[in-house]
Amino acid sequence: MKTIDELLAEGVSGKRVFVRADLNVPLADGQITDDGRIRAVLPTVEALTGAGAKVIVASHLGRPKGAPDPAFSLLPAAERLGELLGKPVAFAQDTVGPAAHAAVDGLEPGQVAVIENLRFNPGETSKDDAERATFADELAALADVYVGDGFGAVHRKHASVYDLPARLPHYAGYLIATEVGVLQKLTEEVQRPYAVVLGGAKVSDKLGVIDNLLEKADRILIGGGMVFTFLKAKGYEVGASMLQEDQIPVVQEYLKGAEEKGVEFVLPVDVVVSGGFPDLKAKEPTHPDTVPADAIPAGQMGLDIGPATAELYAAKLADARTIFWNGPMGVFEHPDYAGGTRAVAQALLDSPAFTVVGGGDSAAAVRLLGFDENAYGHISTGGGASLEYLEGKTLPGLAALED
């Protein structure tokens, strides 16, 4: 995999460089609520513009249905990129049409243009190889060189991620090079004890990574909505909590397998519950209660790990030398249910371990709860991509950058 440093050494002055970024930022009423992914691509864009390249930044945002949708426009991300760069950024209101070509043709060396959401074109996400190839050909006409730096999308076999690199000289940007280096530390060069904290809503989203980590981790700590399927698998009643009944037999096999392999599986000893899901906009007090994990009352919904569990999890992380955390411990967006996620975030800071926060909601939680993100070993920009790498899968976007 060639890196951007090799590209810079070859010289890029005056060349049109297509940077596949991940600007898939969360929006509320058209406003960006977390610009972490935009900031993550800055080193690559600044290096290229500083070397005189004409930079075309492209990305997806959300899940539009293969057609333009104002709710998913990249314009807010383009404007924020310009603010962070401290220079104007041109914005094209299409992907490969007249506006995109005009924006690129108008670039002077050292300038940047952002083209509209790639997923506004059905060829970007098509499962039909020919349709994707046609779109990739159109994208390739905009540029001389390809730089892949959208780590959050490398697990997708999409035109701009997988097909386009084959059509242009291609290089890995700084973000992708960093992310891959970190993931190698979690799979090939692990310092032990190796502790993994997994949360989030659905256990089905994490089955593959749990399966693979049973061969690598020393202990696995479980929280979030997915934990109630684990508690049910142990025979506990979970009230009105989130539950994936169909996954209970699989979870029971994992618990059995962990015991056989000597991997410590740590589950909550107490849970914060309420009579219903909180209003995340109003964030009014909800009068939660804390109950033992094996005594959740009927009609009550578990929304966070309890304080005793938070203390237990901190102790289990204290002596670790490598920690990977993916998924919040509860509904961290509401102050009544942020305690568990806050405790895990703090425990990572207190540990001497190499710490990796695995993207998505975990990264958002670190920022929302006011932690210094630079104090962690690494905060990933791609939750899904990180998980699939840890599952041992081949990621199309990384394979496409290899020679």
Side-chain angles (χ1 to χ4, degrees):
M1 190 185 292
K2 288 184 181 178
T3 67
I4 187 175
D5 284 332
E6 293 172 82
L7 171 61
L8 294 170
E10 294 165 11
V12 292
S13 183
K15 289 186 178 179
R16 301 170 302 164
V17 181
F18 188 103
V19 177
R20 193 355 174 143
D22 178 12
L23 308 182
N24 185 28
V25 291
L27 297 171
D29 300 321
Q31 300 297 310
I32 296 170
T33 59
D34 182 352
D35 67 358
R37 283 176 169 163
I38 302 175
R39 287 185 285 110
V41 79
L42 286 179
T44 290
V45 174
E46 289 174 333
L48 290 168
T49 55
K54 301 175 180 180
V55 179
I56 305 120
V57 178
S59 176
H60 70 287
L61 192 152
R63 296 178 183 270
K65 306 298 184 185
D69 182 339
F72 296 107
S73 175
L74 270 179
L75 180 58
E79 291 174 340
R80 181 60 180 147
L81 178 62
E83 292 171 1
L84 292 168
L85 289 171
K87 64 170 70 177
V89 167
F91 181 70
Q93 293 182 322
D94 58 26
T95 55
V96 291
H101 281 274
V104 173
D105 291 344
L107 289 175
E108 296 292 332
Q111 292 184 338
V112 181
V114 174
I115 61 175
E116 186 54 284
N117 191 336
L118 292 163
R119 291 186 183 174
F120 284 1
N121 189 303
E124 170 67 0
T125 59
S126 177
K127 290 183 168 52
D128 181 86
D129 291 348
E131 188 176 14
R132 278 201 329 277
T134 298
F135 186 47
D137 287 339
E138 293 173 316
L139 290 171
L142 295 171
D144 305 306
V145 181
Y146 177 93
V147 172
D149 215 31
F151 181 74
V154 294
H155 57 314
R156 306 294 187 195
K157 193 175 181 180
H158 290 170
S160 67
V161 176
Y162 179 75
D163 301 272
L164 181 55
R167 287 157 170 77
L168 295 169
H170 46 270
Y171 302 81
Y174 289 126
L175 175 62
I176 278 187
T178 299
E179 295 272 13
V180 171
V182 166
L183 289 167
Q184 286 173 343
K185 285 188 178 182
L186 296 179
T187 53
E188 300 167 20
E189 310 153 19
V190 180
Q191 298 292 310
R192 298 187 180 280
Y194 178 16
V196 176
V197 187
L198 294 177
K202 295 181 178 179
V203 68
S204 55
D205 292 341
K206 302 290 197 310
L207 291 179
V209 75
I210 292 171
D211 195 35
N212 208 30
L213 286 170
L214 285 176
E215 304 295 330
K216 295 181 171 66
D218 297 302
R219 61 187 74 125
I220 300 175
L221 288 58
I222 304 291
M226 62 186 277
V227 80
F228 300 103
T229 304
F230 280 86
L231 294 175
K232 186 73 171 180
K234 288 178 69 71
Y236 301 162
E237 290 304 318
V238 297
S241 306
M242 177 174 285
L243 178 65
Q244 288 186 284
E245 290 266 10
D246 60 324
Q247 300 297 332
I248 289 174
V250 183
V251 166
Q252 288 172 330
E253 284 299 311
Y254 282 151
L255 292 171
K256 181 182 174 185
E259 191 173 354
E260 291 170 353
K261 290 179 168 66
V263 177
E264 187 179 6
F265 236 106
V266 190
L267 298 176
V269 294
D270 62 345
V271 178
V272 180
V273 299
S274 181
F277 200 83
D279 184 334
L280 299 184
K281 283 194 174 181
K283 297 187 179 179
E284 297 290 342
T286 60
H287 310 295
D289 195 12
T290 300
V291 299
D294 61 354
I296 299 173
Q300 293 287 295
M301 178 183 292
L303 296 168
D304 194 14
I305 58 172
T309 303
E311 197 173 313
L312 169 67
Y313 283 15
K316 293 293 183 182
L317 298 174
D319 68 338
R321 290 296 175 267
T322 303
I323 302 174
F324 173 68
W325 171 32
N326 182 283
M329 297 293 97
V331 185
F332 71 92
E333 300 93 339
H334 193 286
D336 287 349
Y337 309 104
T341 302
R342 181 180 286 107
V344 167
Q346 185 63 50
L348 264 68
L349 292 183
D350 294 341
S351 168
F354 173 64
T355 55
V356 179
V357 181
D361 286 341
S362 310
V366 163
R367 290 188 273 268
L368 180 69
L369 297 176
F371 289 92
D372 178 6
E373 54 192 301
N374 295 317
Y376 297 90
H378 181 68
I379 295 185
S380 178
T381 57
S386 295
L387 289 175
E388 290 200 14
Y389 189 101
L390 293 178
E391 285 178 39
K393 292 183 177 179
T394 297
L395 305 189
L398 296 184
L401 292 174
E402 295 172 355
D403 288 314

